[in-house]
Amino acid sequence: MQKQKLKEIYEYDYIPNDSEIYPLQEWFNAILEKTEDELTIADVCRMLRQRMCSKCAMKRAVDLLREDPFAGEIYEGQLMSTLYGSKEKYLCLFYADILPILENAEVLSLSHKWANEEEKSEYLKIAEAFKQKIADASH
């Protein structure tokens, strides 16, 4: 069975190319042609920031973080950080999937080769805050 493109799943229309098309519009049109599995880290981060197809973006983020808990396009841990700040309405649906990733990430961070100590510290701060957010939600 062929996977559906985001355009088909969400029944979105392309932004018409009437005159000048802006980078965000161009990206939006390109994203509609992708399946969930084709979404890159950059796509997912942008979708989460734009609050576009949030559940789909979160599901893909979880899959990507399972593969690499330090995933990021610009810096290590970018995906985790962006996911942490995303829409709580949907994020809570993924807490059970995210918690083991966070626990694994903390262990892996000890032997991970960080660019600098500040990056490591920031990452661990986000992971700890994320775990606390999940703990608070379950009480």
Side-chain angles (χ1 to χ4, degrees):
M1 185 172 127
Q2 188 176 3
K3 296 199 176 213
Q4 289 184 303
K5 295 178 180 183
L6 293 184
K7 180 182 189 226
E8 297 158 344
I9 295 169
Y10 293 99
E11 298 179 1
Y12 283 151
D13 292 324
Y14 295 107
I15 296 173
N17 191 3
D18 296 338
S19 57
E20 185 176 352
I21 189 157
Y22 297 97
L24 186 60
Q25 295 168 316
E26 191 174 301
W27 170 79
F28 178 82
N29 286 344
I31 218 78
L32 293 180
E33 283 300 314
K34 294 185 178 187
T35 65
E36 184 180 295
D37 293 342
E38 294 172 330
L39 296 172
T40 66
I41 293 168
D43 291 333
V44 172
C45 285
R46 189 175 232 179
M47 289 168 72
L48 292 171
R49 285 191 310 271
Q50 296 294 326
R51 299 185 183 260
M52 178 188 145
C53 308
S54 294
K55 283 172 68 173
C56 174
M58 288 176 193
K59 182 179 180 308
R60 179 68 174 145
V62 167
D63 290 343
L64 290 167
L65 288 170
R66 275 193 193 108
E67 294 172 22
D68 177 9
F70 310 111
E73 186 75 14
I74 299 171
Y75 60 91
E76 290 187 285
Q78 178 188 9
L79 183 56
M80 179 78 71
S81 179
T82 305
L83 183 62
Y84 172 75
S86 60
K87 204 175 205 175
E88 188 63 33
K89 176 181 177 180
Y90 302 117
L91 185 59
C92 64
L93 302 174
F94 296 92
Y95 280 169
D97 297 313
I98 295 168
L99 192 55
I101 294 169
L102 292 168
E103 290 167 350
N104 185 42
E106 288 179 327
V107 171
L108 292 174
S109 71
L110 300 174
S111 61
H112 185 71
K113 300 230 186 303
W114 295 96
N116 57 55
E117 203 56 39
E118 185 180 331
E119 196 172 83
K120 177 181 179 181
S121 175
E122 271 303 306
Y123 180 83
L124 290 173
K125 215 184 298 183
I126 291 289
E128 188 57 41
F130 215 150
K131 282 174 57 178
Q132 189 60 52
K133 180 189 265 194
I134 293 170
D136 291 347
S138 49
H139 286 100

